[in-house]
Amino acid sequence: MKIIVPVKRVIDYNVKPRVKPDGSGVDLANVKMSMNPFDEIAIEEALRLREKGVATEVIAVSVGPDKAQETLRTALAMGADRAILVVAEDVEPLAVAKILAKVMDEEQPGLVILGKQAIDDDSNQTGQMLAALTGRPQGTFANTVNVSGDSVHVAREVDGGLQTLSLKMPAIITTDLRLNEPRYASLPNIMKAKSKPLAQKTPADYGVDVSPRLKTLKVVEPPVRSAGIKVADVDALVAKLKEMGVAA
Amino acid sequence: MKTLVYAEHDNASLKDATLAVVTAASQLGEVHVLVAGSGCGAVAQQAAKIAGVTTVHVADDAAYAQQLAENVAPLIASLMATHDAFLAPATSNGKNIAPRVAALLDVMQISDILSVESADTFTRPIYAGNAIATVQSSDAKKVITVRGTAFAKADENGGSATIEAVSGSGDSGTSTFLSAEIAKQERPELTSAKIIVSGGRALKDAETFAATILPLADKLGAGVGASRAAVDAGFVPNDYQVGQTGKIVAPEVYVAVGISGAIQHLAGMKDSKVIIAINKDEDAPIFQVADIGLVGDLFTVVPELVGKL
């Protein structure tokens, strides 16, 4: 079976985002960009399933600007077999899910593995939306994935612990942090990735309207906390706690 | 405007997360609550008593026992024919179900709202809480998840809503619940705790974490949290994790012990009323957000603190 892994190019997670003074958004000019960390975990899981002989091909897909090619090359260097780039800027999760649904129609994968959320818009929607649009089951926030026959068992991280579901394939899975430890791309593999196939498409090729439904009116810095104090020792801390009524 | 609130529950009792969502929904219009589950009559009774709720819809069916998204989402989508907005708590359950509902209705979801500015305009955090966006939706129906700590809880008593039975299409047949492993917590639940004591990587191992953090938490009657580093190192189960990828908390007092204060962690706790940090590195970023900081070795400071409380 094939596995499709959607990946997103986002601001690197180590970079502290700066809000533009005019409130129009976050300043992404000359900022280091990387693959969304949850998507790296998704690629890793797909590769492990291929190494186990469960999957035959891993296809990385990105909906994003031209530069998302770099992100797809990273996925190819990690070990994905081929890539598809759908060139479009600032596409909302609903439109991404619609494009991915069309890619699923074309490729007929057994699994689609996505990250649970992108660290830029923090939406946590695309996987669930894709599952709804295709009428397929969803295993969100996956901690463990086991394919058995024509179904997949997914242990999910839920409030309070873990929950295990059995999903009929094809199924949609979104990764949580603890699913695996993604591998690094080695230099020879980075070189090899340059010659792997990368197809370029547009939303129009799939007949998907990507016009946004949400309009961002403004983006501001979060309220700044007023400067605190440092206490010298435990006695001073205890006194403060008593003052606040936290301790008797 | 008629709103439909998704009730968070375990078939036996209603979870607190629902109350904050009712508050958010009441800022939009008439509040209806959906209780989907199996043998969930008591939950419906509880929901009917929440101040401000006018109608409780109860879908009592074995197919909804585990609230699987595949089964519950079509039920909600059908109820949306007579509602204008669907609001769910931004819990793992709400985040699982709401986007599926949104896609079935062909609308964009607005995730994790912090405030209701008007019927179509909301604020929400982006970039791990490093920016707050004001967004306006052009969709006819709104699908929203609500950050529980950003809204006051509606009064659990004082309402007298009518209870109506509803039914949906039942089991989709595509997913099956196999098992659940729920971590035992004798202390207050993190998202509703008034005080939280949280530990980081500096706690060394699971035994040291338990021996150091738990006595302090017990003294203060606090819930226990952890940083991602502490969870990844296996000191505590992952549902203790406070942060962008864990739980978002906003207690009255948050005590960060041996936590450096990475962006990912701050995103989960910086709305706490008072933040207290204990760390031996005086340059740790946690001190930039802490109201009260104590620079010192936690292995001497914390036991001393426990002794003096």
Side-chain angles (χ1 to χ4, degrees):
Chain A
M1 83 175 171
K2 292 183 194 173
I3 299 180
I4 289 182
V5 184
V7 295
K8 186 176 185 183
R9 178 179 186 264
V10 298
I11 188 167
D12 189 88
Y13 72 98
N14 284 313
V15 175
K16 182 165 165 51
R18 278 175 212 288
V19 173
K20 288 188 202 164
D22 66 358
S24 63
V26 165
D27 193 357
L28 296 177
N30 304 316
V31 167
K32 186 181 180 210
M33 306 291 276
S34 301
M35 188 190 297
N36 181 41
F38 292 104
D39 302 349
E40 288 183 356
I41 296 171
I43 292 274
E44 177 65 34
E45 195 63 19
L47 297 176
R48 289 186 189 187
L49 288 170
R50 194 186 60 194
E51 282 154 9
K52 276 191 222 161
V54 174
T56 50
E57 191 182 26
V58 175
I59 307 162
V61 181
S62 191
V63 179
D66 239 357
K67 284 199 169 158
Q69 277 194 38
E70 295 163 12
T71 312
L72 288 169
R73 291 288 172 205
T74 306
L76 294 170
M78 285 174 75
D81 296 290
R82 60 187 168 94
I84 303 170
L85 172 62
V86 183
V87 183
E89 306 257 349
D90 298 324
V91 185
E92 290 174 346
L94 181 62
V96 173
K98 286 179 179 174
I99 291 170
L100 294 175
K102 299 282 186 183
V103 176
M104 274 182 80
D105 276 350
E106 262 178 31
E107 302 284 352
Q108 298 291 321
L111 290 174
V112 180
I113 309 180
L114 306 88
K116 79 164 176 182
Q117 75 188 58
I119 59 165
D120 52 0
D121 63 10
D122 287 335
S123 289
N124 194 333
Q125 300 175 5
T126 309
Q128 295 90 316
M129 287 181 156
L130 175 62
L133 295 174
T134 55
R136 301 312 313 168
Q138 64 191 49
T140 50
F141 324 139
N143 173 291
T144 318
V145 173
N146 280 309
V147 175
S148 68
D150 61 353
S151 59
V152 56
H153 291 189
V154 179
R156 305 178 51 229
E157 295 193 5
V158 295
D159 296 336
L162 287 177
Q163 178 194 61
T164 307
L165 303 179
S166 168
L167 311 174
K168 281 216 177 100
M169 296 207 289
I172 315 296
I173 292 169
T174 75
T175 62
D176 216 320
L177 271 180
R178 279 160 286 269
L179 180 57
N180 60 46
E181 188 79 39
R183 69 193 66 185
Y184 289 102
S186 65
L187 189 59
N189 286 341
I190 293 171
M191 299 310 289
K192 237 188 278 174
K194 291 187 175 162
S195 55
K196 287 186 180 175
L198 193 159
Q200 287 234 23
K201 303 268 192 177
T202 66
D205 293 340
Y206 296 105
V208 174
D209 173 14
V210 295
S211 44
R213 309 290 187 82
L214 296 181
K215 189 173 157 194
T216 300
L217 302 181
K218 64 174 177 196
V219 176
V220 297
E221 297 263 0
V224 182
R225 295 187 68 94
S226 54
I229 53 154
K230 278 195 182 149
V231 292
D233 53 26
V234 170
D235 289 323
L237 180 56
V238 171
K240 277 281 169 197
L241 288 172
K242 286 187 175 161
E243 210 176 285
M244 291 189 299
V246 174
Chain B
M1 196 177 198
K2 260 162 101 176
T3 67
L4 185 66
V5 167
Y6 188 76
E8 179 90 6
H9 68 88
D10 58 5
N11 290 314
S13 66
L14 191 73
K15 301 280 178 207
D16 266 7
T18 317
L19 301 173
V21 186
V22 167
T23 302
S26 63
Q27 294 175 16
L28 289 169
E30 189 180 324
V31 183
H32 293 193
V33 172
L34 168 66
V35 178
S38 177
C40 54
V43 180
Q45 296 290 344
Q46 246 183 302
K49 290 199 190 91
I50 304 173
V53 176
T54 58
T55 308
V56 176
H57 304 281
V58 187
D60 197 332
D61 188 320
Y64 306 135
Q66 306 296 337
Q67 303 176 46
L68 298 177
E70 295 78 5
N71 299 349
V72 173
L75 165 73
I76 298 165
S78 68
L79 288 170
M80 286 305 288
T82 53
H83 292 85
D84 307 298
F86 173 70
L87 291 90
T91 54
S92 58
N93 214 3
K95 289 177 187 171
N96 188 39
I97 292 168
R100 194 161 177 123
V101 173
L104 291 176
L105 299 172
D106 192 30
V107 305
M108 253 303 285
Q109 176 186 291
I110 307 145
S111 297
D112 229 7
I113 64 162
L114 301 173
S115 72
V116 175
E117 301 295 304
S118 71
D120 63 359
T121 307
F122 309 88
T123 63
R124 59 175 303 262
I126 52 175
Y127 292 90
N130 281 294
I132 310 293
T134 305
V135 295
Q136 186 176 37
S137 164
S138 60
D139 285 316
K141 308 258 178 195
K142 313 286 184 268
V143 174
I144 296 164
T145 59
V146 177
R147 177 169 289 194
T149 56
F151 292 86
K153 289 183 184 131
D155 192 349
E156 278 175 89
N157 295 297
S160 56
T162 49
I163 298 180
E164 284 175 15
V166 292
S167 58
S169 48
D171 194 342
S172 74
T174 54
S175 63
T176 321
F177 171 82
L178 295 179
S179 64
E181 270 176 66
I182 300 304
K184 284 205 181 79
Q185 283 241 37
E186 291 144 16
R187 296 178 179 79
E189 204 201 352
L190 266 188
T191 46
S192 57
K194 283 207 164 68
I195 304 174
I196 293 175
V197 177
S198 213
R201 201 204 312 260
L203 273 307
K204 288 200 172 80
D205 54 39
E207 291 72 37
T208 321
F209 189 101
T212 317
I213 298 292
L214 301 189
L216 180 58
D218 288 342
K219 271 272 169 161
L220 296 171
V224 176
S227 70
R228 180 178 155 188
V231 170
D232 284 351
F235 300 175
V236 288
N238 56 39
D239 56 304
Y240 282 62
Q241 186 185 323
V242 172
Q244 184 193 15
T245 56
K247 289 191 174 132
I248 313 284
V249 299
E252 307 266 318
V253 181
Y254 188 90
V255 187
V257 179
I259 291 178
S260 64
I263 295 180
Q264 143 32 72
H265 187 74
L266 298 182
M269 47 63 84
K270 68 180 159 48
D271 294 326
S272 307
K273 208 163 271 170
V274 176
I275 297 173
I276 298 174
I278 299 173
N279 203 306
K280 70 176 174 195
D281 174 9
E282 62 178 312
D283 296 322
I286 191 78
F287 287 120
Q288 289 164 21
V289 299
D291 300 280
I292 303 172
L294 177 57
V295 179
D297 183 358
L298 67 95
F299 295 109
T300 55
V301 169
V302 174
E304 190 187 341
L305 181 58
V306 171
K308 287 180 175 166
L309 283 173

